[in-house]
Amino acid sequence: MHELSVAISIVQSITDATAAEDHGQIAAVNVRVGAMSGVIPEALQFAWTPATRDTPLQGSELRVEFIPAAIYCENCSDTVELPGQRLVCPVCQTRSPRLVRGRELDILSVELQPESQHAS
Amino acid sequence: MPPESPTPASDSAVAKPRILEVRTQILKKNDELARDLRDRFRAAGCFVVSLVSSPGTGKTEFLKQTLIRLQERGGLKIAALVGDLRTDNDAARLAESGVDVRQIETGTMCHLEADMVERAIEEASWDCDDLDLLFVENVGNLVCPSGFDLGEDLRLVLVSTTEGEDKPLKYPTIFNTADVAVITKMDLAEVLEYDAEKMQNSIQDVRPGMRAFEVSAKSGQGMDEWIQWLTDQAS
Ligand SMILES: [Zn+2]
């Protein structure tokens, strides 16, 4: 379950990035996970609760945007999205090592609780 | 977009959540540390090879035979780090080769991270300048190690003839992040009716162009070719 390590890394990065000022309560975290990143979105969701416990992110929601893998196919002269993780063009069956998308493992943003709710 | 129903900006009861951009890579810390390690190894002239496999691939025996053959050739100062959940059995077996071996006890961790490699080298008091070749054996696991850069020059993935020719298709990410594959236990190929072409095709489907050696640590088949290739890469 390396997703727990990954979830803890997310919590640390966000805690570091938001520590400087009081932003109020963090409601949600948006991340991007590529098909070839080695991280399973479901497992990451599962790890989120234990990873955020007793941190400023406790109770926040994790939103994962899944990015399917894509290769550049020499034969088709085009970037093609892959149905899975085999680097084989689904159009012409040519193999290509040129991965264009799919390795993403990024934090995008956090959503803060609206001020009115925060104040109440 | 919702239909026209303008909300006064002053209406704080329906205030939208504020978005704070935090654009960063999730594994930034590990990646930066791995980059520093790689720079350090390169400056010291130490070539680093990491090994990943599932349990039971014969990884330790393969590495031991590799170390013995490299020692016999002479001329290279070699060390090895072995990641293991609890026991030091693998480290003890590898030390039989005469190479300096240290264990990284990972406890509950299912993979190695760059800081564990850095710490192990410090604890061993190894001077990278004195080393030509360093092996880092990851925990037996084909899933978790894939995303973690250890500062290695070469990532080697092992798969055995006993695991089935579709194994690479089941664990595409680890094969995709590896630089070279070694198919072990070739001495069992015949009795298993192992399909070499099918295995090579599986590997090429997930990592087009990757070199895949067929070896048997037991019989020695393919070992010379592998050692030659490895020393060429390291030189
Ligand atoms: Zn194509």
Side-chain angles (χ1 to χ4, degrees), chain A residues 1-7 9 37-39 105, chain B residues 26-31 34 38 50 52 109-117 138 143-152 155 173-174 177:
Chain A
M1 251 298 272
H2 65 304
E3 277 82 0
L4 186 58
S5 297
V6 173
S9 294
S37 69
V39 168
L105 203 50
Chain B
I26 292 174
L27 298 177
K28 189 163 166 252
K29 265 192 180 148
N30 184 77
D31 290 348
R38 187 172 285 112
S50 73
V52 286
M109 280 280 266
C110 49
H111 62 276
L112 293 179
E113 295 186 14
D115 63 333
M116 298 162 85
V117 173
N138 216 316
V143 181
C144 305
S146 62
F148 297 88
D149 187 352
L150 302 179
E152 69 267 66
R155 182 180 284 186
T173 307
I174 197 79
T177 61

Side-chain angles (χ1 to χ4, degrees), chain A residues 29-41:
Chain A
V29 174
N30 295 304
V31 299
R32 185 178 280 162
V33 171
M36 305 295 290
S37 69
V39 168
I40 315 277

Side-chain angles (χ1 to χ4, degrees), chain A residues 15-66:
Chain A
T15 309
D16 291 351
T18 58
E21 43 183 310
D22 179 24
H23 292 291
Q25 187 61 40
I26 293 168
V29 174
N30 295 304
V31 299
R32 185 178 280 162
V33 171
M36 305 295 290
S37 69
V39 168
I40 315 277
E42 291 78 12
L44 190 59
Q45 291 286 7
F46 186 72
W48 190 243
T49 304
T52 53
R53 191 168 293 140
D54 298 328
T55 77
L57 290 154
Q58 183 164 336
S60 65
E61 184 193 344
L62 180 71
R63 298 204 193 109
V64 181
E65 181 191 350
F66 181 75

Side-chain angles (χ1 to χ4, degrees), chain A residues 71-78 80 88-96:
Chain A
I71 51 167
Y72 180 80
C73 175
E74 203 75 61
N75 191 44
C76 297
S77 300
D78 202 4
V80 284
V88 182
C89 175
V91 181
C92 72
Q93 309 306 317
T94 305
R95 289 179 181 132
S96 170

Side-chain angles (χ1 to χ4, degrees), chain B residues 40-57:
Chain B
R40 223 167 87 195
F41 289 135
R42 289 212 171 140
C46 178
F47 191 80
V48 183
V49 182
S50 73
L51 291 84
V52 286
S53 79
S54 15
T57 311

